[in-house]
Amino acid sequence: MKTERFQMSANPDFLKLVDNWRRSQPDIPARAEAIRRIVANALDTTEAPSLSALVRDWFASNPTRLALFGFDGSVTVERAVDALLKDRYQSPVIPAKLMLEAFQHEADPIAKQIVALLQRLA
């Protein structure tokens, strides 16, 4: 199969997520291979993404958004998502209606997916 080269830029939080995923694989693939596998797996899945996955992607695409929820620059995306969506009983800390208010005016496509998922839950 013929391949084509393309370049991609990513922020450190995104690369950390990719690196954590690839280190969890038995063969520890290179970053490029890890991204190919992650994309292939995402395209193969028929399940809708979870709320935590969508919120994680939303924050990872623009980490300055952490401040919108009161997090400072020292908080990782993973910790912010855990703090927002999970308490020790695994129930949402922020009610779905409040999250709807936070995301419904966002033009970002990930935010639109979050709103669609929350509307089903609320």
Side-chain angles (χ1 to χ4, degrees):
M1 176 188 331
K2 182 180 177 188
T3 61
E4 187 175 328
R5 177 179 286 278
F6 79 98
Q7 288 184 306
M8 172 179 168
S9 297
N11 65 45
D13 287 335
F14 175 83
L15 294 176
K16 188 174 184 178
L17 291 171
V18 171
D19 288 341
N20 288 342
W21 182 88
R22 69 188 190 94
R23 286 187 196 107
S24 73
Q25 303 306 298
D27 59 343
I28 308 177
R31 274 185 179 163
E33 176 60 20
I35 292 170
R36 278 192 288 275
R37 289 182 193 178
I38 291 167
V39 170
N41 288 341
L43 293 173
D44 284 345
T45 186
T46 58
E47 288 182 25
S50 68
L51 180 58
S52 62
L54 288 170
V55 172
R56 181 176 45 251
D57 291 347
W58 187 75
F59 280 134
S61 69
N62 185 350
T64 60
R65 292 172 171 158
L66 292 169
L68 297 173
F69 289 88
F71 297 108
D72 63 26
S74 68
V75 175
T76 65
V77 168
E78 291 296 322
R79 288 193 187 266
V81 171
D82 284 345
L84 285 173
L85 300 180
K86 300 176 184 174
D87 63 14
R88 61 190 179 137
Y89 302 107
Q90 300 297 310
S91 62
V93 175
I94 296 179
K97 288 183 181 185
L98 290 177
M99 288 193 76
L100 263 172
E101 290 173 15
F103 290 105
Q104 67 185 352
H105 300 294
E106 287 284 327
D108 184 275
I110 297 171
K112 290 181 185 297
Q113 287 182 297
I114 292 169
V115 168
L117 182 59
L118 287 171
Q119 286 174 334
R120 285 183 289 199
L121 297 174

